[in-house]
């Protein structure tokens, strides 16, 4: 470790470390843009299937239901968690995954952040002439929807 300081002529030129209070404040401020609202739930999609079944998987369609109704999607472990105000949906799927919708659009009536792993890593695909997503901002007073990190193809 001392070798790292050999180039310094004097330790007087080194700045003192910030106080713990200042460091804690800086960390708190840095986290603000990414803070999850109190009571919000993170729902993790674990399947590319487009169905609703009590099978121990959490599909994107089930995540929408959990977000909209604030109820778990089944009793089997691995099902989607019950939503709450301002949920976040994440995807634990292999890179290059495609979720092929069965025809009906994904409808969200509650505020939600849908955060994919990257546009090249996840594709939500609609194969019929139907909407892919419906973000129903009229259903709640405080409607906030974020969609990022995924590709949407097909549909109208």
């Amino acid at each position: 470790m001392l070798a790292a300081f050999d180039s310094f002529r004097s330790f007087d030129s080194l700045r003192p470390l910030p106080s713990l209070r200042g460091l804690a404040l800086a960390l708190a401020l840095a986290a603000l843009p990414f803070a999850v609202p109190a009571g919000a739930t993170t729902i993790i999609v674990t399947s590319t299937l487009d169905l609703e079944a009590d099978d121990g998987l959490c599909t994107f369609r089930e995540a929408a239901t959990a977000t909209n109704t604030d109820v778990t999607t089944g009793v089997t472990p691995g099902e989607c968690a019950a939503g709450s105000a301002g949920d976040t949906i994440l995807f634990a799927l292999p890179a290059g995954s495609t979720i092929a919708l069965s025809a009906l659009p994904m409808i969200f009536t509650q505020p939600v952040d849908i955060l994919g792993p990257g546009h090249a890593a996840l594709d939500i695909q609609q194969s019929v002439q139907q909407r892919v997503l419906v973000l129903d901002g009229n259903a709640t007073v405080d409607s906030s929807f974020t969609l990022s990190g995924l590709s949407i193809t097909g549909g109208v």
Side-chain angles (χ1 to χ4, degrees), residues 67-148:
T67 296
N68 295 335
T69 63
D70 297 339
V71 175
T72 59
T73 58
V75 296
T76 305
E79 287 293 316
C80 296
S84 58
D87 299 324
T88 298
I89 297 176
L90 302 175
F91 298 84
L93 301 171
S97 292
T98 297
I99 297 174
L101 300 182
S102 61
L104 299 174
M106 303 296 297
I107 300 172
F108 292 91
T109 60
Q110 301 291 328
V112 63
D113 294 330
I114 303 169
L115 309 176
H119 75 279
L122 178 62
D123 183 34
I124 309 295
Q125 188 177 79
Q126 179 61 279
S127 60
V128 298
Q129 292 298 307
Q130 181 63 261
R131 291 182 176 148
V132 179
L133 296 172
V134 175
L135 306 177
D136 186 2
N138 295 324
T140 61
V141 175
D142 179 24
S143 296
S144 172
F145 300 97
T146 301
L147 184 64
S148 72

Side-chain angles (χ1 to χ4, degrees), residues 1-117:
M1 267 325 260
L2 291 177
F5 295 105
D6 285 345
S7 62
F8 289 103
R9 292 185 186 183
S10 164
F11 285 89
D12 294 335
S13 64
L14 295 176
R15 292 185 181 181
L17 293 174
S19 69
L20 288 180
R21 182 186 301 164
L23 181 60
L25 178 62
L27 289 173
L29 290 174
L32 280 179
F34 305 103
V36 176
T41 299
T42 298
I43 300 170
I44 300 174
V45 174
T46 59
S47 171
T48 59
L49 298 173
D50 184 30
L51 54 83
E52 293 189 69
D54 190 359
D55 57 4
L57 300 172
C58 179
T59 67
F60 188 37
R61 190 165 301 280
E62 289 174 326
T65 299
T67 296
N68 295 335
T69 63
D70 297 339
V71 175
T72 59
T73 58
V75 296
T76 305
E79 287 293 316
C80 296
S84 58
D87 299 324
T88 298
I89 297 176
L90 302 175
F91 298 84
L93 301 171
S97 292
T98 297
I99 297 174
L101 300 182
S102 61
L104 299 174
M106 303 296 297
I107 300 172
F108 292 91
T109 60
Q110 301 291 328
V112 63
D113 294 330
I114 303 169
L115 309 176

